């Protein structure tokens, strides 16, 4: 863009050194959840969370949260994705209300997968 062209686009040869502006499309998101029976003798464990849908590519980012299905239990968790794949993601599930483990419990993992380009869902 140049002032002499009223700040409109002005194409120049590719070998001219210039600053540049990149257009980025809005992220495409896919979300889901998975109920798992989980226990740990420590304050954390590692889970393989399957998307339960076929994606044509791996997301570039996954955000996740966890909650006990039995809401009378005081357990609170952080979910930290550590390896993102096209069919699942590996996440560290950390108990944050106490520094201890928990007995076998049903935990709902909710997730949002982010894609920068359209993704096929099969």
């Amino acid at each position: 863009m140049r002032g002499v062209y009223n700040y409109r686009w002005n194409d120049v040869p590719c070998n001219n050194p210039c600053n540049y502006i990149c257009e980025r499309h809005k992220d495409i998101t896919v979300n889901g959840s998975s109920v798992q029976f989980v226990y740990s003798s420590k304050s954390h464990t590692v889970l393989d969370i399957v998307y339960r849908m076929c994606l044509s590519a791996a997301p570039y980012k996954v955000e996740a949260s966890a909650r006990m299905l039995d809401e009378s239990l005081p357990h609170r968790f952080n979910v930290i994705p550590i390896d993102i794949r096209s069919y699942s993601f590996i996440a560290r599930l950390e108990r944050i209300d106490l520094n201890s483990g928990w007995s076998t419990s049903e935990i709902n993992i909710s997730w949002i997968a982010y894609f920068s380009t359209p993704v096929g869902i099969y």
Side-chain angles (χ1 to χ4, degrees):
M1 297 176 76
R2 294 182 57 195
V4 295
Y5 295 107
N6 290 329
Y7 295 100
R8 295 185 188 174
W9 290 109
N10 176 34
D11 294 338
V12 295
C14 291
N15 59 354
N16 281 14
C18 307
N19 293 325
Y20 55 89
I21 298 173
C22 294
E23 179 181 7
R24 183 166 185 259
H25 298 283
K26 183 179 178 183
D27 285 339
I28 297 162
T29 60
V30 175
N31 58 353
S33 64
S34 173
V35 174
Q36 299 199 7
F37 287 92
V38 182
Y39 78 94
S40 181
S41 60
K42 304 175 191 173
S43 63
H44 66 277
T45 190
V46 175
L47 302 173
D48 187 3
I49 301 160
V50 178
Y51 301 123
R52 295 198 176 148
M53 62 183 72
C54 296
L55 304 174
S56 60
Y60 74 85
K61 176 175 86 170
V62 173
E63 294 176 345
S65 62
R67 66 173 178 76
M68 301 292 283
L69 286 188
D70 182 353
E71 294 184 6
S72 69
L73 296 172
H75 304 39
R76 300 290 174 256
F77 298 96
N78 274 341
V79 182
I80 304 161
I82 53 178
D83 186 20
I84 299 171
R85 305 169 182 167
S86 59
Y87 52 89
S88 70
F89 65 98
I90 305 296
R92 179 180 168 106
L93 180 67
E94 295 181 341
R95 187 169 176 185
I96 57 174
D97 61 314
L98 289 173
N99 190 17
S100 69
W102 61 93
S103 59
T104 302
S105 303
E106 285 183 289
I107 298 177
N108 185 52
I109 309 290
S110 298
W111 52 266
I112 302 172
Y114 293 84
F115 301 86
S116 56
T117 58
V119 63
I121 302 173
Y122 306 100

